[in-house]
Amino acid sequence: MSLIVQKFGGTSVKNAERIKNVARIIAETYLKGNDVLVVLSAQGDTTDDLIEKAAEINQKPSKREMDMLLSTGEQISVSLCAMALDAMGLPCVSLNGWQVGIDSTSVHSDARITNIATERVKRELDARRIVIVTGFQGVSRNGDITTLGRGGSDTSAVALAAAFHADLCQIYTDVDGVYTTDPRMEPNAKKLEEITYDEMLELASQGAQVLHNRSVELAKKFRINLEVVSSLERKPGTKVKEVTKMEKSNIAGVVKDTSISGVALVGLANTPGVAFKVFDLLSKRNINVDVILQSIGREDTKDITFTLHNKDLDEAVQVLEEHKGSLKFDHLKIDGKIGKVSIVGAGLVSNSGVASKMFEALYEAGINIQMINTSEIRVSVLLDEADVTNAVRAIHSKFFD
Amino acid sequence: MSLIVQKFGGTSVKNAERIKNVARIIAETYLKGNDVLVVLSAQGDTTDDLIEKAAEINQKPSKREMDMLLSTGEQISVSLCAMALDAMGLPCVSLNGWQVGIDSTSVHSDARITNIATERVKRELDARRIVIVTGFQGVSRNGDITTLGRGGSDTSAVALAAAFHADLCQIYTDVDGVYTTDPRMEPNAKKLEEITYDEMLELASQGAQVLHNRSVELAKKFRINLEVVSSLERKPGTKVKEVTKMEKSNIAGVVKDTSISGVALVGLANTPGVAFKVFDLLSKRNINVDVILQSIGREDTKDITFTLHNKDLDEAVQVLEEHKGSLKFDHLKIDGKIGKVSIVGAGLVSNSGVASKMFEALYEAGINIQMINTSEIRVSVLLDEADVTNAVRAIHSKFFD
């Protein structure tokens, strides 16, 4: 008998019909003799509705109270799902994070799981009940409800899979797996049968929406067999694991990110420590910088260009302008229209031809590269946002057609 | 410095504007230097919406999962109220029943409070925070969320007032106090300045909607100073206490109940133990019987007539028909069109003229009495449902005009 963790996202439980569909998937797994631990997100629009309710009352609600408010969304999902399974005659129980004992840090709205108690869930599983747990939430040492931030429900699922030594952790979503690129953009995109943790991590950090990188990191750490599957179509998904058999292609996928901006500090003094000062200032504000490029400017000055997420742009500009005197730069140049396209593949490190194949594709498509950034298993190029779609399609067809 | 418990019902928190209004009432109390413990119900239609969601999935959802689902309603209310107080710059914290430690029996949907832990709330009050607690819910020994059934939030408020030795427990509602009769029915109804626990209990059990009798019983037991106040108008409400100064009128109010039915077992054998058998059968099914009347029938038989709540009628009839053989009655006579009108007053017991004054009012109005039932501080008459409004008005005008 195996223990299988099944996580369903907000679109998979958005209404009564979808919840019944989810219950059928769970029932099938259970009736094959498996123990099933289910993790659910809030229903479709619930979270947005609750955020709106809060906004009517307080424009800047405290994070502690937002967690109190938003965590009701998952509680509604799990109880409704239990009712659906119950209607099918299957023994089940829904549990909140605090009822399981999912301990977390007390950083409200962005907590990290610190420990998962096993007693209650084990007791329920031993009684052959299907256990349905709220994703996205934990409880702080203080006894307050916390939420886990973006990708939180995926993280809950993987953490539960680790705590209970699950044989498999299935992430059900509205796509049926991980593709070589976004299928809405490139109809020739191919579904991957398998992908390594590292590849998945890079894809997730470079803009693929299918799994959040926190959950993949955790899966890698605890060697959890992850699987991305569709809740709407019954076909094989994509397996995420340590090593894949796949050797046929050098890269796993092409991924884009258009939510980034470029900032250039022009005319910095060419003295040591300048770069340190700039990025120290930003990191103290929790602003994550992605690609950094330093180049020689005119007359013994230098320029530093970096990219960051659009949401952090205003704050970054404000911090830099405030310290214009001490940093001694001439002016800032902002570019909000930057896009990033990356190729990811475990085979990349051992095959120097891959990067040049990517550049060739861009050259043939007449697309100008602004910056380049690489890791062991990834090559990213920064280019004009308007070129992103063409770049993805050109690179994808170079590698996969 | 006093500790004041303030409870607000569903209509008082039904939208953002009403929540802000509630926050102003709380703030005023707090800024006078009082410690404030707030108890909230779910917002207006939330509970109905959740029940509907459940019905789409399961026609007979388990009570445990219904409690899990419905308890989100109060959690939404308390977090929104905290946000409103926070927007006014007041220190506050919202807490669920389980966070306070409101222990209850595990009878889902109708649990009883068994204990209230004081640590967390005390810590928050000591830090001069306004504490906002979910009404209507508790946590069972098993760690499951329970709800307290009808009138549950009033009961939560009174139980918290008892646990923390509050100086006052204010029940804010959409009416501004307890009236001598329903003001929607009789424009001459007068608001009572004070009423005793016993009078309030009788009024509540006889159909007055303003306070649930469980909460009044608890208030009486722990001698809690209760007050019924309007959340919409700022004027004095009605105080519920042990002894009232009021001696001016013999009765506190006239109250009606039209949700009852009459059942008559006709032609029972005139042997001992028959009444016992009938009511033992019903009590084993948790069916509460109100007024009972036994009379001699024809030819050495007897008839037993009783009233009960409409919701229990079908089940009662079914049980009795099932045991027709052993109970040996001839046939059942059902009357679904029965109404009950009662007068309640602590002075009743010492004033025999009160009951006859009531009967006189009915006689003058040409209303026929079917049955009579009395307690120390109450006289009830059963009559045709169509006569109820006229009966209330006639009796009210006899005593209060």
Side-chain angles (χ1 to χ4, degrees):
Chain A
M1 190 164 63
S2 299
L3 171 61
I4 299 181
V5 172
Q6 301 188 312
K7 181 258 169 180
F8 299 88
T11 50
S12 300
V13 294
K14 73 173 180 184
N15 55 33
E17 195 194 322
R18 288 281 176 90
I19 288 177
K20 288 177 189 171
N21 172 56
V22 160
R24 281 190 293 272
I25 295 173
I26 298 166
E28 197 176 291
T29 313
Y30 175 83
L31 292 172
K32 278 180 188 155
N34 299 298
D35 282 341
V36 190
L37 186 47
V38 179
V39 177
L40 300 182
S41 300
Q43 289 189 289
D45 301 326
T46 306
T47 307
D48 289 340
D49 291 349
L50 291 171
I51 290 173
E52 201 179 299
K53 263 180 189 278
E56 282 173 30
I57 285 172
N58 190 328
Q59 286 299 313
K60 280 209 156 190
S62 88
K63 288 180 173 179
R64 192 238 177 234
E65 296 299 339
M66 273 311 273
D67 283 358
M68 187 81 168
L69 181 67
L70 295 183
S71 59
T72 60
E74 288 80 29
Q75 190 171 330
I76 291 172
S77 293
V78 296
S79 53
L80 291 177
C81 181
M83 290 174 195
L85 286 166
D86 189 42
M88 298 168 77
L90 297 175
C92 61
V93 62
S94 72
L95 295 173
N96 277 304
W98 62 269
Q99 289 175 305
V100 171
I102 302 182
D103 295 339
S104 79
T105 60
S106 55
V107 183
H108 286 288
S109 88
D110 200 22
R112 295 289 174 272
I113 296 174
T114 53
N115 185 52
I116 296 183
T118 53
E119 295 77 12
R120 176 76 195 255
V121 170
K122 270 209 176 124
R123 196 164 72 232
E124 304 289 358
L125 290 175
D126 286 348
R128 271 295 279 161
R129 288 199 191 94
I130 297 164
V131 180
I132 310 154
V133 178
T134 51
F136 187 61
Q137 54 183 256
V139 60
S140 73
R141 189 191 295 227
N142 201 23
D144 291 329
I145 295 176
T146 57
T147 66
L148 305 178
R150 261 194 83 205
S153 288
D154 290 349
T155 306
S156 302
V158 175
L160 284 163
F164 294 97
H165 310 290
D167 301 279
L168 177 62
C169 179
Q170 297 182 308
I171 308 289
Y172 284 84
T173 166
D174 50 353
V175 297
D176 64 348
V178 182
Y179 276 75
T180 51
T181 195
D182 187 343
R184 287 166 301 189
M185 208 159 131
E186 172 53 66
N188 286 329
K190 289 166 182 59
K191 188 166 66 182
L192 297 166
E193 202 182 307
E194 299 180 326
I195 190 171
T196 66
Y197 296 124
D198 287 330
E199 287 171 334
M200 191 65 238
L201 261 179
E202 286 281 8
L203 284 180
S205 353
Q206 299 306 318
Q209 304 282 326
V210 59
L211 274 178
H212 196 265
N213 53 4
R214 275 172 69 192
S215 62
V216 185
E217 269 167 27
L218 207 58
K220 183 186 175 190
K221 187 168 167 189
F222 292 99
R223 300 277 184 275
I224 305 297
N225 283 315
L226 258 189
E227 193 177 0
V228 178
V229 221
S230 166
S231 63
L232 305 175
E233 296 174 275
R234 312 302 294 270
K235 53 185 182 184
T238 300
K239 292 187 166 58
V240 189
K241 37 166 73 173
E242 186 59 17
V243 182
T244 62
K245 297 165 290 181
M246 189 177 51
E247 286 270 22
K248 51 187 183 299
S249 167
N250 285 308
I251 73 167
V254 187
V255 64
K256 69 165 205 312
D257 187 353
T258 53
S259 57
I260 52 176
S261 297
V263 176
L265 293 103
V266 179
L268 281 160
N270 195 4
T271 49
V274 168
F276 163 73
K277 280 185 205 158
V278 169
F279 296 109
D280 185 51
L281 270 174
L282 296 173
S283 81
K284 277 181 178 146
R285 298 290 186 103
N286 273 320
I287 297 172
N288 282 319
V289 165
D290 186 16
V291 183
I292 300 173
L293 191 83
Q294 181 170 318
S295 56
I296 303 298
R298 314 178 208 179
E299 294 172 17
D300 204 27
T301 63
K302 59 186 174 188
D303 302 342
I304 291 182
T305 307
F306 61 88
T307 61
L308 76 183
H309 196 279
N310 284 339
K311 72 172 166 49
D312 292 327
L313 180 62
D314 289 350
E315 195 177 350
V317 169
Q318 190 202 323
V319 180
L320 293 173
E321 290 287 5
E322 272 170 20
H323 294 79
K324 194 173 180 178
S326 62
L327 292 173
K328 297 196 186 78
F329 60 88
D330 188 67
H331 63 278
L332 291 181
K333 225 171 74 186
I334 316 295
D335 187 354
K337 295 281 175 204
I338 283 188
K340 183 166 61 169
V341 175
S342 310
I343 57 172
V344 170
L348 249 165
V349 62
S350 58
N351 191 333
S352 59
V354 174
S356 58
K357 202 166 162 186
M358 178 190 193
F359 303 149
E360 188 186 6
L362 292 171
Y363 167 70
E364 285 166 4
I367 295 168
N368 191 37
I369 301 173
Q370 295 180 10
M371 290 190 257
I372 297 171
N373 176 269
T374 60
S375 80
E376 285 215 340
I377 64 164
R378 174 181 54 81
V379 181
S380 299
V381 294
L382 287 151
L383 27 80
D384 195 314
E385 199 177 295
D387 290 329
V388 164
T389 305
N390 284 338
V392 169
R393 303 194 63 168
I395 297 165
H396 189 270
S397 105
K398 194 85 178 172
F399 284 95
F400 294 101
D401 281 359
Chain B
M1 189 163 63
S2 299
L3 170 61
I4 299 181
V5 172
Q6 300 188 312
K7 181 259 169 178
F8 299 89
T11 49
S12 301
V13 294
K14 73 173 181 183
N15 55 33
E17 195 194 323
R18 287 280 177 90
I19 288 178
K20 288 178 190 171
N21 172 56
V22 160
R24 281 190 293 272
I25 295 173
I26 298 167
E28 197 176 292
T29 314
Y30 175 83
L31 292 172
K32 278 179 187 157
N34 299 298
D35 282 341
V36 190
L37 185 49
V38 179
V39 177
L40 300 183
S41 301
Q43 290 188 289
D45 301 326
T46 307
T47 307
D48 289 340
D49 291 349
L50 290 171
I51 289 172
E52 201 178 301
K53 262 179 190 280
E56 282 173 29
I57 285 172
N58 191 328
Q59 287 298 314
K60 279 210 157 189
S62 89
K63 289 180 173 178
R64 191 233 178 239
E65 296 299 339
M66 274 311 274
D67 284 358
M68 186 81 168
L69 180 67
L70 295 183
S71 59
T72 60
E74 289 80 29
Q75 190 172 330
I76 291 172
S77 293
V78 295
S79 53
L80 291 176
C81 181
M83 290 175 195
L85 286 165
D86 189 43
M88 298 167 79
L90 297 175
C92 62
V93 63
S94 71
L95 296 174
N96 276 303
W98 62 269
Q99 289 174 307
V100 171
I102 302 182
D103 295 338
S104 79
T105 60
S106 54
V107 183
H108 286 288
S109 88
D110 200 23
R112 295 290 174 271
I113 297 175
T114 52
N115 185 52
I116 295 182
T118 54
E119 295 77 12
R120 177 76 195 254
V121 170
K122 270 210 175 124
R123 196 164 73 233
E124 303 290 357
L125 291 175
D126 286 348
R128 270 297 277 161
R129 289 199 191 94
I130 297 164
V131 180
I132 311 154
V133 178
T134 51
F136 186 62
Q137 53 183 258
V139 60
S140 73
R141 191 191 292 227
N142 199 23
D144 291 330
I145 295 175
T146 57
T147 66
L148 306 179
R150 260 194 85 205
S153 287
D154 290 349
T155 307
S156 302
V158 174
L160 284 162
F164 295 97
H165 310 288
D167 301 279
L168 178 62
C169 179
Q170 297 182 309
I171 308 290
Y172 283 84
T173 166
D174 50 354
V175 296
D176 63 350
V178 182
Y179 277 76
T180 50
T181 194
D182 186 344
R184 287 166 301 187
M185 206 160 131
E186 172 53 66
N188 286 329
K190 289 166 182 61
K191 188 167 67 184
L192 298 166
E193 201 182 309
E194 299 180 326
I195 189 169
T196 66
Y197 296 124
D198 288 329
E199 288 171 333
M200 192 64 238
L201 261 180
E202 286 282 9
L203 284 180
S205 351
Q206 298 306 318
Q209 303 283 325
V210 61
L211 274 178
H212 197 265
N213 53 3
R214 275 173 69 192
S215 62
V216 184
E217 269 166 27
L218 207 59
K220 183 186 174 190
K221 185 169 169 189
F222 291 100
R223 299 277 184 277
I224 304 297
N225 283 314
L226 257 189
E227 194 177 0
V228 178
V229 221
S230 165
S231 64
L232 305 175
E233 295 174 276
R234 313 302 294 272
K235 54 184 180 183
T238 300
K239 292 188 167 57
V240 189
K241 39 167 70 173
E242 186 59 19
V243 183
T244 62
K245 296 165 289 182
M246 190 175 51
E247 288 270 24
K248 51 189 181 299
S249 167
N250 284 309
I251 74 166
V254 187
V255 64
K256 69 163 203 315
D257 187 353
T258 53
S259 57
I260 52 177
S261 297
V263 176
L265 292 101
V266 179
L268 280 158
N270 196 4
T271 49
V274 167
F276 163 73
K277 280 187 206 157
V278 168
F279 296 109
D280 186 50
L281 270 174
L282 296 173
S283 82
K284 277 183 178 145
R285 298 289 186 106
N286 273 320
I287 296 171
N288 283 320
V289 165
D290 186 16
V291 183
I292 300 173
L293 192 84
Q294 181 171 317
S295 56
I296 303 298
R298 316 179 207 177
E299 294 169 18
D300 203 28
T301 63
K302 58 186 176 188
D303 302 344
I304 290 183
T305 307
F306 61 88
T307 62
L308 76 182
H309 196 279
N310 284 338
K311 71 172 167 50
D312 292 327
L313 179 61
D314 289 349
E315 195 177 350
V317 169
Q318 190 202 320
V319 180
L320 294 173
E321 290 288 5
E322 270 170 21
H323 294 80
K324 193 172 178 176
S326 61
L327 293 172
K328 298 196 186 78
F329 60 88
D330 188 69
H331 64 279
L332 289 180
K333 225 171 73 184
I334 315 296
D335 186 354
K337 295 282 176 204
I338 283 189
K340 183 166 62 169
V341 175
S342 310
I343 57 172
V344 170
L348 249 165
V349 62
S350 57
N351 191 333
S352 59
V354 174
S356 57
K357 203 165 160 186
M358 179 190 192
F359 303 148
E360 187 186 7
L362 293 170
Y363 167 71
E364 286 166 2
I367 294 167
N368 191 37
I369 301 172
Q370 296 181 10
M371 289 190 257
I372 298 171
N373 176 270
T374 60
S375 80
E376 286 215 338
I377 63 165
R378 174 182 55 81
V379 181
S380 299
V381 293
L382 287 151
L383 27 80
D384 196 313
E385 200 177 295
D387 290 330
V388 164
T389 304
N390 285 338
V392 169
R393 302 194 64 168
I395 297 165
H396 190 270
S397 104
K398 194 85 177 174
F399 284 96
F400 293 102
D401 281 355

